[in-house]
Amino acid sequence: VPLRSLTSAGRLRVPVSEAQTYLQRTDAKFFYCITRAADSGPAHWHARMQFYNGEDPATGSASGCAISYLVRHGLVESGRTILMEQGIEIHRPSLLHLSAVRSGDSILEVRVGGRTIHVASGHLFIP
C-alpha cells in the first residue's frame, strides 16, 4: 500500500478487526505499506507491516513485491539497487537492499538482501 508521506507511515495503526474483514475478500494476508524515506538518511524508501500480533521489523518477501511495484511504475529505475528501511517505529531498525529488472511488461531478477540478527535458537525433541 503506497502512503503519501513518512508522517503518515509514522501514524499508521492498522485496525486488526477491520483489516481482517477486508482481507478475507482478497488473496492478501496483511498490509505492507511503503513511502519515501527521509532525505537525510541512507534509505530511499520506508516500509511498515503491522499484523495481529504486532509489527515485523523486516519483511523480505513483501519487499520483493514492493521493489517489483516500484520498478513497474517507474518509481525506481530498472536494475538500480535501493535501500528499504523498516522497523524504525518499533525500535528494531532494518535495512534491506532491493533491486528488480523490467523487461517489457515483465519484472525479472528480483533481489532482496540484508543482514540478520540471531534472536533465538532451540531444539525440538520428538519421542
Side-chain angles (χ1 to χ4, degrees):
V1 178
L3 300 176
R4 292 179 192 248
S5 69
L6 195 53
T7 302
S8 296
R11 293 191 314 252
L12 183 67
R13 301 290 175 268
V14 176
V16 176
S17 62
E18 292 175 36
Q20 297 274 337
T21 300
Y22 176 83
L23 292 169
Q24 286 175 351
R25 299 186 312 254
T26 73
D27 291 333
K29 298 203 185 297
F30 307 105
F31 293 102
Y32 181 77
C33 302
I34 60 171
T35 191
R36 292 192 186 272
D39 291 335
S40 59
H44 303 97
W45 289 84
H46 180 88
R48 291 192 75 184
M49 213 256 332
Q50 297 174 350
F51 55 95
Y52 46 80
N53 284 334
E55 184 164 351
D56 194 357
T59 314
S61 57
S63 61
C65 297
I67 189 61
S68 298
Y69 170 88
L70 293 169
V71 169
R72 176 177 299 283
H73 293 284
L75 298 167
V76 170
E77 182 182 336
S78 175
R80 178 178 175 217
T81 298
I82 65 158
L83 299 175
M84 177 79 77
E85 65 184 14
Q86 189 175 338
I88 308 300
E89 292 82 2
I90 59 170
H91 308 289
R92 293 180 61 196
S94 302
L95 199 57
L96 297 172
H97 306 260
L98 313 174
S99 68
V101 173
R102 182 175 184 158
S103 177
D105 288 337
S106 298
I107 300 295
L108 311 168
E109 299 179 37
V110 176
R111 299 184 187 275
V112 176
R115 173 175 85 83
T116 62
I117 297 171
H118 186 98
V119 294
S121 63
H123 298 277
L124 176 62
F125 298 95
I126 299 175

